[in-house]
Amino acid sequence: MKRDLPSWLPFALLAFALLALFHRLISGQVLFWGLPSLQFYPWRHFAFDELRAGQLPGWNPYLGAGAPLIANYQSAIFYPPNWLFLLLPNGPAMSVIALGHVIWAAVGMWQFTGVLGIQPFGRAISALSYALSSYTIGRFGSFPTADAAAWIPWIFWFAHLTLIQRRWSNIGWLGLAFGLQLLAGHAQTTWYSGLGVGLYVLWQITRGMPTRTRSYRLAALLRFSTGMILGIVLASIQIVLTVEYLQESQRSGGMDFDTVTSLSYHPLRLITLLSPHFFGTPADGSYITEGIFFEDAAYIGFIPFISALAAIGGRIRRRQYLMHFPAFQTVYFWVLLGLGALLVALGNYSPLYHLLYDYVPTFKSFREPVRWLILTVFSLSILAGIGTQNWGRGKWLVFWSRLSVAGGGTMVIMALVGQQFLDQDSKALDVLASGMVVLGCWVVVAALFTLTQPDRASLISPVLWRTSVLLFVVVDLAWANSGLNPTVPSDFYSREFGVSQPEGGGRIYWFEDYEQEIKYDKLFDVKDYRKARDQWPDVRTSRLSNLNMLNNVYSLNNFDPFVPEYYQRYLDLIEDLGTRSNSLLRMAAVTEVYGKTPRGWQDVVPSISPDTAQYAWLVSEVEWLDSDSTIEDHLRDPDWDPQQIAFLAGESPDMPVSLSQGTVTIIERRSDRLHLDVRADGPAYLVISSTWYPGWTATVDGQDTPIYRANLAFQSVAIPPGGAEVVLRFSPRHWDLAAGVSALGLLLIFALITLGNLTIGRRIPLPED
């Protein structure tokens, strides 16, 4: 009788889980809650429309006063799976890509656990617990995070192969996998996984190759390093542009400690590793604690978690496992990696993070320490697969399993009784009692599976028993993640919904406090996902950033991870001035404001002129200032008229003091090009209400001319007497270099893969040969 599981079974069960969780996507609905609608869909809708029109999506004119979309790392324009947007309607493309990455994560984990020597049953446990974990499914709508996480097992797999096999192709595959992860759009996840795989390689070289020579270990390290470097080279087309944006962004100097640790993993949430809804779930509005559910979620399933503990117990107590089950050799590494990531994820709940923030590079650059949990989830999933090989029926295990049945049953009864006699109006007590009921039930189920394990004399088929365990794991994870990704009809993205343009053709602006209230209290409530789902037409017509892009509405707001530093400082001035910000808003071509007693206000909305917005004009006076703080002081003057005087940064060129005014006509206005006809009797300065950013160039009557930074954040060009034809163009700096380096990386990677199984140097016997 065949005692191993068929290799197709875990993927059939995965398909069952995805069908249960996302059948509405298959029937034509679309993801929308949170980031899909507020970031990823608008970015990609615009970017791939530009590409279809034969134009590089370098500049996004609809957010802020313009921003470099192509340098926005999370837009992931160069990530090949996202090119499906060119072939399918955007809604279905978004769904197919997201579902595909869940499957990709499972396949990668299946492959990696195979080279670790884990048996098929354990490999299935690992694959399902990682791909369907609450970390990945809870963040399903945060596409770059989930996409990057799907590549982690693949990178570990190829890294492992570079250590044990001297084949050129493994280096190429590692470079390709790491490069694609870098292009997937979430630098934080990629950095954590890169750190994790680096530690794994060092562990293997120092502890996992006891019979290998020093030269062999150094060669293995060189092969791994070469593959990772090739991945960086491949992704240069994105990295170069994003690094420049980072240097020009509000995060260029890092972030303060409170901002960095804004979402830290509270130690009490450890209970959710056993009972995911112990504190409720936003899927039904029962979530009762602070924080964001999907950021804290790290549930891999009850049985996989217990199996991970079994792996640790087996490694400690039974050294003979090292001979029969080689995967046990890595148990201590996964324990250290998972615990280390968990300690860092505690953030401001642990003194460790303060030391890391003060003395270790990159810790000032990434927010939300809870995201370190990806390494904890990954480690636990692998330990879960290893632990299945320590799932026996010894005397003491049977004793404790029987005791667990009794204890779990008692827990359920006590929780149910408590629900009847405790405060009936207490939502918190009801949620906690329900969490205890689930925990008690899962304890009983796990114990019963242990007690019913088949042996040689058993009538139960081992394959049937293992299939039942896997089915329970899938049902458990599907239940845990149910409702975490609300969907709406595809009309949400495809219809115009009668969203009107702002008065005067200008930009809209949401004052910060009011925007936060509408976005997170009224619509996208992180404690109750049903609010946005039930009000989805209101969400669609809200003109919140970045939804405004879907209707070609210009907004001074920008809900992007990076924004240009000068732009952010300009917005801070608007927020600080409140009712005195009228001049600042007119400078930014704002003609409609949403506000309700924001910071600096006195219950009065600024009186924005309903006249036609001006995006370019001539000023009669300029003042050159060498200090941005001095410019800010001038901008705070409530009597400042941006149509009359401009404050320019730097030293004055050789221009007459007396300036002329005249007319400015917009001939053509595209995302990356502005063509103006300027008429003036004498020398003049043209002011343009678009964000100053490197990569913009200007010509005046065909001659190159510098673009000056005006009024802290905007553009200005000197005009000669009589006027001129002025053309401004945007093209990312270093574009040719970045594209060339990536092309070279791709060529080298394919060359290595083409070499296939040819070995590097003298051939020697290897484990996989």
Side-chain angles (χ1 to χ4, degrees):
M1 178 184 295
K2 186 176 180 181
R3 302 176 68 88
D4 284 336
L5 290 171
S7 58
W8 55 264
L9 179 61
F11 301 101
L13 293 173
L14 176 65
F16 165 75
L18 294 179
L19 183 63
L21 286 168
F22 300 111
H23 62 276
R24 290 185 177 84
L25 294 180
I26 299 171
S27 66
Q29 293 202 355
V30 291
L31 295 164
F32 88 107
W33 197 96
L35 297 181
S37 60
L38 295 177
Q39 286 186 339
F40 306 120
Y41 186 95
W43 288 338
R44 294 170 188 176
H45 170 77
F46 173 77
F48 289 99
D49 274 356
E50 293 280 282
L51 287 172
R52 289 188 196 96
Q55 185 169 314
L56 192 70
W59 190 256
N60 179 2
Y62 296 109
L63 297 177
L69 178 65
I70 202 169
N72 179 345
Y73 193 73
Q74 292 193 19
S75 65
I77 295 168
F78 300 109
Y79 184 51
N82 288 339
W83 300 345
L84 194 61
F85 277 82
L86 293 171
L87 304 176
L88 296 178
N90 292 347
M94 182 168 62
S95 301
V96 170
I97 295 168
L99 290 169
H101 279 85
V102 177
I103 299 170
W104 193 242
V107 175
M109 185 62 92
W110 177 267
Q111 295 293 97
F112 179 52
T113 50
V115 298
L116 289 179
I118 300 176
Q119 300 301 310
F121 177 49
R123 295 170 70 183
I125 289 284
S126 294
L128 292 171
S129 62
Y130 181 68
L132 294 173
S133 70
S134 291
Y135 189 100
T136 53
I137 301 301
R139 291 170 173 79
F140 187 77
S142 180
F143 303 130
T145 306
D147 295 353
W151 283 101
I152 294 178
W154 290 91
I155 292 169
F156 271 82
W157 180 40
F158 291 128
H160 186 91
L161 292 180
T162 62
L163 299 181
I164 66 172
Q165 297 176 347
R166 299 172 62 179
R167 293 171 182 163
W168 293 103
S169 58
N170 292 330
I171 299 174
W173 286 118
L174 176 60
L176 183 62
F178 187 53
L180 289 173
Q181 188 189 43
L182 282 165
L183 292 173
H186 202 255
Q188 195 169 5
T189 299
T190 302
W191 168 241
Y192 296 162
S193 69
L195 178 63
V197 76
L199 293 173
Y200 175 75
V201 167
L202 291 176
W203 172 278
Q204 288 287 12
I205 288 175
T206 56
R207 302 292 299 274
M209 298 180 174
T211 63
R212 296 297 186 185
T213 64
R214 181 180 179 184
S215 61
Y216 181 90
R217 297 181 188 185
L218 290 176
L221 181 60
L222 179 61
R223 293 194 296 272
F224 165 74
S225 302
T226 302
M228 298 295 279
I229 291 171
L230 281 174
I232 296 172
V233 172
L234 176 63
S236 294
I237 195 170
Q238 181 67 69
I239 293 173
V240 170
L241 303 181
T242 299
V243 167
E244 179 184 56
Y245 195 10
L246 173 61
Q247 294 171 342
E248 296 288 338
S249 79
Q250 85 283 20
R251 294 193 187 182
S252 59
M255 295 173 282
D256 63 84
F257 184 79
D258 290 339
T259 300
V260 166
T261 59
S262 58
L263 286 175
S264 299
Y265 192 68
H266 196 290
L268 288 179
R269 298 196 190 281
L270 287 169
I271 189 64
T272 60
L273 296 178
L274 294 170
S275 180
H277 297 174
F278 193 84
F279 300 112
T281 169
D284 60 12
S286 62
Y287 196 51
I288 59 174
T289 65
E290 297 301 320
I292 299 177
F293 181 91
F294 67 82
E295 292 285 6
D296 292 324
Y299 185 67
I300 66 166
F302 186 84
I303 285 180
F305 185 81
I306 298 301
S307 184
L309 299 181
I312 301 171
R315 178 64 178 85
I316 294 172
R317 294 188 297 108
R318 302 184 181 184
R319 295 185 60 84
Q320 68 270 26
Y321 277 15
L322 300 180
M323 180 180 299
H324 301 293
F325 303 110
F328 274 89
Q329 295 176 355
T330 64
V331 164
Y332 288 154
F333 171 78
W334 301 120
V335 171
L336 291 173
L337 182 64
L339 282 178
L342 178 61
L343 288 174
V344 178
L346 295 175
N348 59 18
Y349 295 109
S350 165
L352 173 65
Y353 208 89
H354 235 308
L355 294 173
L356 296 172
Y357 176 86
D358 290 335
Y359 300 109
V360 180
T362 75
F363 276 85
K364 292 183 179 180
S365 301
F366 293 125
R367 298 185 303 118
E368 303 176 4
V370 292
R371 294 175 181 173
W372 280 93
L373 289 174
I374 183 59
L375 293 180
T376 303
V377 168
F378 183 71
S379 299
L380 283 173
S381 297
I382 294 173
L383 287 170
I386 298 174
T388 59
Q389 296 166 158
N390 187 35
W391 201 345
R393 288 197 62 189
K395 179 180 69 174
W396 286 108
L397 186 60
V398 170
F399 170 79
W400 286 109
S401 295
R402 290 172 176 171
L403 192 62
S404 295
V405 172
T410 302
M411 189 185 302
V412 171
I413 293 171
M414 291 181 63
L416 291 174
V417 170
Q419 279 184 310
Q420 299 300 316
F421 290 98
L422 295 176
D423 186 355
Q424 297 293 312
D425 297 325
S426 174
K427 176 182 176 180
L429 288 176
D430 186 61
V431 168
L432 294 174
S434 298
M436 291 296 292
V437 169
V438 171
L439 181 57
C441 289
W442 278 195
V443 168
V444 170
V445 171
L448 289 175
F449 273 126
T450 300
L451 292 172
T452 58
Q453 287 182 89
D455 54 25
R456 294 181 181 228
S458 175
L459 297 177
I460 301 177
S461 163
V463 173
L464 178 61
W465 180 84
R466 291 170 185 169
T467 301
S468 300
V469 173
L470 292 179
L471 181 60
F472 175 77
V473 169
V474 165
V475 170
D476 176 19
L477 289 169
W479 162 78
N481 295 314
S482 177
L484 296 183
N485 295 278
T487 61
V488 292
S490 59
D491 282 355
F492 183 88
Y493 294 120
S494 60
R495 282 181 51 195
E496 292 296 322
F497 279 93
V499 177
S500 61
Q501 295 292 322
E503 289 189 57
R507 298 186 177 107
I508 62 172
Y509 181 67
W510 290 81
F511 274 89
E512 182 181 343
D513 290 356
Y514 189 58
E515 181 187 30
Q516 298 298 307
E517 177 185 331
I518 297 299
K519 184 185 293 184
Y520 297 118
D521 294 342
K522 180 180 178 181
L523 298 176
F524 294 106
D525 186 347
V526 295
K527 294 180 181 296
D528 190 349
Y529 292 172
R530 299 171 303 174
K531 286 186 179 180
R533 183 198 64 198
D534 295 342
Q535 303 177 80
W536 68 265
D538 292 336
V539 173
R540 179 62 178 81
T541 58
S542 65
R543 298 203 292 188
L544 285 167
S545 60
N546 297 339
L547 277 166
N548 60 287
M549 293 179 63
L550 300 182
N551 294 94
N552 299 330
V553 171
Y554 293 89
S555 172
L556 187 58
N557 303 93
N558 187 353
F559 186 44
D560 287 5
F562 292 168
V563 293
E565 179 185 10
Y566 298 119
Y567 158 83
Q568 184 60 58
R569 290 171 64 177
Y570 193 87
L571 256 59
D572 290 341
L573 274 177
I574 292 175
E575 295 290 336
D576 286 338
L577 288 175
T579 54
R580 296 176 293 130
S581 63
N582 205 35
S583 297
L584 293 170
L585 293 168
R586 283 194 292 116
M587 170 65 232
V590 172
T591 56
E592 247 182 71
V593 169
Y594 295 96
K596 177 186 175 185
T597 65
R599 178 160 42 110
W601 280 35
Q602 300 295 325
D603 298 318
V604 179
V605 177
S607 55
I608 303 303
S609 170
D611 296 339
T612 301
Q614 287 185 276
Y615 285 95
W617 61 89
L618 297 176
V619 293
S620 57
E621 182 182 354
V622 299
E623 185 173 346
W624 289 87
L625 301 169
D626 58 6
S627 167
D628 286 339
S629 60
T630 305
I631 294 177
E632 290 183 17
D633 290 340
H634 282 76
L635 299 183
R636 290 176 182 274
D637 184 350
D639 295 327
W640 169 56
D641 185 350
Q643 269 71 39
Q644 296 299 318
I645 182 172
F647 303 106
L648 306 184
E651 296 183 0
S652 173
D654 187 14
M655 281 279 288
V657 176
S658 177
L659 300 177
S660 298
Q661 287 188 304
T663 61
V664 179
T665 304
I666 297 177
I667 298 175
E668 182 185 28
R669 184 185 180 196
R670 297 194 329 224
S671 61
D672 62 349
R673 189 173 188 271
L674 181 63
H675 185 185
L676 304 170
D677 179 60
V678 181
R679 295 295 148 206
D681 295 334
Y685 274 94
L686 172 69
V687 175
I688 303 150
S689 183
S690 182
T691 304
W692 183 92
Y693 187 81
W696 277 101
T697 58
T699 58
V700 174
D701 286 337
Q703 300 297 314
D704 292 340
T705 190
I707 299 177
Y708 303 111
R709 184 160 55 86
N711 301 328
L712 189 62
F714 301 96
Q715 300 174 348
S716 179
V717 174
I719 304 298
E725 293 287 315
V726 180
V727 178
L728 287 88
R729 296 180 179 87
F730 179 76
S731 178
R733 296 195 305 175
H734 318 302
W735 165 254
D736 292 339
L737 174 64
V741 171
S742 283
L744 176 62
L746 185 62
L747 181 64
L748 290 173
I749 285 171
F750 280 133
L752 290 171
I753 293 174
T754 302
L755 289 174
N757 291 333
L758 293 179
T759 58
I760 304 170
R762 182 172 60 87
R763 184 163 179 82
I764 60 175
L766 295 169
E768 263 63 26
D769 286 351

